[in-house]
Amino acid sequence: METTRTDRLKTVVLLLAAVGLALGLVFYFTARADIADLVWTAGVVPALIVLVVEILRGLRAGEAGLDIVAALSMSAALVFGETLAAAVIAVMYSGGTFLEAFAEGRARREMYDLLSRVPRTAARHRDGGIEEVPLDAIMPGDRLLIRQGDVVPVDGTVASETAFLDTSALTGESLPVRLAYGDDAMSGSTNAGEAFDLTATHEAKDSTYAGIVRLVEEAQASRAPMSRLADRWSLGFLAVTVGIAFAAWWVSGDPVRAVAVLVVATPCPLILAVPVALVAGLSRAASFGVLIKGAGTLETMARIRTLILDKTGTLTEGRPQIVSIDSHEGMAENDILRLAASLDQASKHPVAQAVVAAAKERGFSLPVPSDVAEIAGEGVVGHVEDRNVIVGGDAFVASRVGQRPGDHSAIAAGSVLVAVAVDGRMAGHLVMSDPLREGAGAMLDGLRREGVARILLATGDRAEVAERVTEGLGIDGLRAGLTPDQKVLLVLTECKRGPVMMVGDGVNDAPALAAADVGVAMGARGAAAAAEAADVVLLVDHLDRLGSGIQIARGARRIAVQSVVAGISLSVLGMIAAAFGYLTPVQGALLQEAIDVAVILNALRALSIAPRPPAPLRRREDAPGHFDSAQEAKA
């Protein structure tokens, strides 16, 4: 609402200034110069009042910028009788702010599209009929009817035989996705096929789309460090402008030259180009399924030098397949899997979800666990059918039952080992294989071309597993067997070398994501803690989107810097020309506004940044043993 009122005020001020300028010109060319001066002055006063109010608000907030130059130029033009110049400045300044608002609105288009898609109601099955209910009334377990063209209101699972969902607004995927019975459906997707039923798994406020909307709103309200730096630079530019103006007046004795200098410096591309370019970058990244929380994060992404990757669910698919089940103490393999899967229902870790999926594929009925406690990065403890069950890493489970970890040297490198204990005794192990994400190698190779100098893998898994998975990728360092706090320590250590990006997807990654300069959560359906702690959320589980996001960030920052340098350089040249009398105040105003339009249009080029697709991986000759040291390889 406040934004709407501000935009309306800018429009009214622009209309008053434009009408005043046009009407004054009519009187001027009909030999009524005295009336023309009055009309021009009347058109300038509203713009000057609004400008002074904005300056006072900024000063109360401890901010000062080049709005002061605009006020000085308008005031000086009126004082020294240059009413036409003042009228031109008023039109051009109000037009510049209007153009800036329009440009930012254009840049935010994809973000506004996300916000405008929020559904208000949903069709719910109830007592053999369909009722239309507000989103707040939907609870987990409710069965909803998703009609053709409807936006999925909450996260849920498909309760019909099949469904076709258009996820392009969220992930950039151009083709509809086919989902089968029991598959997860992301809120915010559009039903591109026939009507289907959906079983809600989350309330609306906790669903993926609601989280995306919150992130978008945060991004819209943010300011980049570069924008705040522009404010500080503007004070120096203000001093230079006033200095040149007074010098021109003092040397020439003509105050009109000082007015011309002030006019050329009003307003400054420094405060126009940066926000437009960065917001355009945010919007462009969102169209590729890379949701960046704010302009500050976008700017930091452009300077990333070190990338730290989690393994499970990030570098790998995160959906391991069960290769075998090793039974101890004579327990049946199916019982081991059923009890482990029942407990793992309480965890969102990719391995836990894979165990649950494997059990459901075998048709097992999974009871609800109780007294569940999850130790991030270690395992899960709880009760299933009055039996004490522990599921997790071998060392964790063994310590809980008072045993030493077993010798699993025969297990193939690259496999994931899940230990299961029942009633205080080691029941067995699930041997799982988690494949590398398709295109991961090409993506890493592309990031190096973009200037990422150092790529590390940080995992809680065994060193031999991590080495097998990363074979041929040319990883610069591998840290295995890490606990969540050790991941944080690694991130903080690497931050001393330069800006660090951490990519993860699980609860155990959340602390490291928060500690990094830029934390990236894989997939909007990942652990809520990871998405909350992250600065960037990849809305689709494709690792190559990370490269697209970094390319867009660097492109947007480069365009912002180009606009600032070009605009300031042209403004300084114009001020020098005005100081020597080569530009009148009116000519200076027209020149400066031409510069402003040019830099804003240049900043909008960030909307058309086209990330390069990753090239085929060129395997490095020193891989797979390309680690900083043997200690790193073995953690």
Side-chain angles (χ1 to χ4, degrees), residues 135 340 349 520:
L135 293 193
H349 191 282
V520 181

Side-chain angles (χ1 to χ4, degrees), residues 397-437:
V397 175
S399 65
R400 287 292 180 119
V401 297
Q403 297 182 11
R404 294 173 59 86
D407 180 11
H408 302 287
S409 57
I411 301 297
S415 299
V416 177
L417 195 66
V418 178
V420 182
V422 179
D423 294 333
R425 305 179 70 178
M426 187 69 77
H429 291 83
L430 308 178
V431 181
M432 312 181 75
S433 176
D434 187 12
L436 192 70
R437 283 183 182 273

